[in-house]
Amino acid sequence: MKQFFLLLILLTFYGMGFSQTLTAKQLQENAQILMQQGDFDNAIAALQKARQQDPLGMELLKNLSFAYYLQRDFSRAIETGKMVTDMDSADEQSYQILGYSYKAIAAYKEANKIYRAALKKFSNSGVIYNELGENFALEKNYREAIVQWEKGIQLSPNISGNYYNAVKYYAEQKNWIRVLLYGELFVNLESYSERTTLVKTYLLAAYAGILNPDKATPAMDPATSTAFEKQVFLLFSKNKALAANGLSADNIGSIRTRFILHWQTGLSATYPYRLFDHWQYLINEGIFEAYNQWIFEDALNKDAYGWWKINHSAESLKFEQFQQSRVFKISAGQYYTQ
């Protein structure tokens, strides 16, 4: 028994000594785990201990600022965040975290300054354009917000947040052609999230606004629509009779198939567009119907979509495997909406 207690004492002292030899990097890793668990007090304690070894480490201070933000200690989050953004090595995320803290206390002008400073350093940052747009939206300045989201889409086309916010804005404006385009790009960039579920309902509304003759809603803003958007609208309008009796995943799919046949033979060279190339690829692979079901039947009737997957198990599985194996990327220079 004495030997057992002696072993416990030795292990305790060994553990204490080991914990004291953790590197700053190891302490940061521990802190990140603690933050994920919601234990912000101990996460901050670990980061403060790491600062004893690396007092001016950019990543360390950035993590500390974020931990303070999560703890809702916004004054310390801002104080620490400023230390980071003053560094030459500060990255986009550093400005983003500091912006979060300013927005949390409704200091929107200060947040604007931070985002503007970030854009001087990272002029093509879709992440920062998205944050700046959201900040303007919090100030109810939606016209300026959409300018920022559009800029983010133009300069950094693979950041999903700009599409998400633009879709919500254009749905309010009933600019259905942009909802149709931006919404589907979004669900391919961010395929499985709560935001995806919402955007699918916007996509369904967009097709209803464009195709359903009973809906007297504008498809787009004539004053701002580009030649590209007008061509897209024209091709969809030619086949809207297929949806005269209401929308379904099947008739939307038929209209989209006819659209792509005309687009690829007449306009794809003038307007190379990742989304429409994606449709053609899915048609060639025999999974375009599954893709349309995933977007539209899922939004119309989840139970019906579940039955469709059961009754079309081979195609459904092939589509799911494709979704899980690919990374959807949008090429630069395919921005035709301004």
Side-chain angles (χ1 to χ4, degrees), residues 178-198:
R178 293 204 182 179
V179 174
L180 181 151
L181 295 168
Y182 288 170
E184 195 162 345
L185 288 170
F186 172 82
V187 300
N188 280 284
L189 289 167
E190 188 176 310
S191 297
Y192 297 101
S193 72
E194 290 183 9
R195 301 200 306 181
T196 307
T197 301
L198 175 62

Side-chain angles (χ1 to χ4, degrees), residues 235 256-266 280 283:
L235 284 184
R256 283 152 62 90
T257 300
R258 293 187 184 191
F259 172 95
I260 204 64
L261 289 173
H262 286 93
W263 186 269
Q264 294 295 72
T265 56
Q280 186 63 65
I283 290 170

Side-chain angles (χ1 to χ4, degrees), residues 91-124:
D91 57 11
E92 292 167 274
Q93 196 177 54
S94 305
Y95 292 92
Q96 190 179 15
I97 292 169
L98 182 54
Y100 287 160
S101 298
Y102 277 124
K103 285 193 286 189
I105 60 172
Y108 302 129
K109 289 184 179 179
E110 292 302 318
N112 274 347
K113 291 177 183 177
I114 288 300
Y115 296 136
R116 295 293 189 192
L119 288 172
K120 288 181 180 179
K121 188 173 181 180
F122 307 103
S123 58
N124 292 339

Side-chain angles (χ1 to χ4, degrees), residues 26-89:
Q26 289 170 325
L27 287 164
Q28 286 187 76
E29 290 170 352
N30 289 347
Q32 288 172 343
I33 293 169
L34 290 166
M35 281 192 280
Q36 291 170 3
Q37 295 171 344
D39 188 353
F40 306 129
D41 289 337
N42 282 319
I44 289 167
L47 291 167
Q48 291 288 18
K49 189 169 186 178
R51 284 192 71 190
Q52 296 173 11
Q53 300 179 42
D54 187 12
L56 296 176
M58 191 274 288
E59 285 292 333
L60 197 162
L61 289 171
K62 184 172 73 174
N63 288 335
L64 183 58
S65 178
F66 190 51
Y68 281 133
Y69 166 78
L70 293 173
Q71 194 190 41
R72 302 188 65 79
D73 188 344
F74 301 123
S75 61
R76 284 195 174 93
I78 290 169
E79 179 186 1
T80 310
K82 282 180 170 181
M83 293 174 62
V84 182
T85 56
D86 284 343
M87 295 178 177
D88 292 337
S89 59

Side-chain angles (χ1 to χ4, degrees), residues 178-233:
R178 293 204 182 179
V179 174
L180 181 151
L181 295 168
Y182 288 170
E184 195 162 345
L185 288 170
F186 172 82
V187 300
N188 280 284
L189 289 167
E190 188 176 310
S191 297
Y192 297 101
S193 72
E194 290 183 9
R195 301 200 306 181
T196 307
T197 301
L198 175 62
V199 170
K200 286 180 181 180
T201 66
Y202 286 137
L203 278 170
L204 193 60
Y207 275 91
I210 292 168
L211 299 173
N212 194 324
D214 296 328
K215 286 192 173 289
T217 54
M220 54 190 176
D221 183 352
T224 61
S225 297
T226 64
F228 169 78
E229 291 172 287
K230 290 173 183 176
Q231 290 287 352
V232 171
F233 176 67

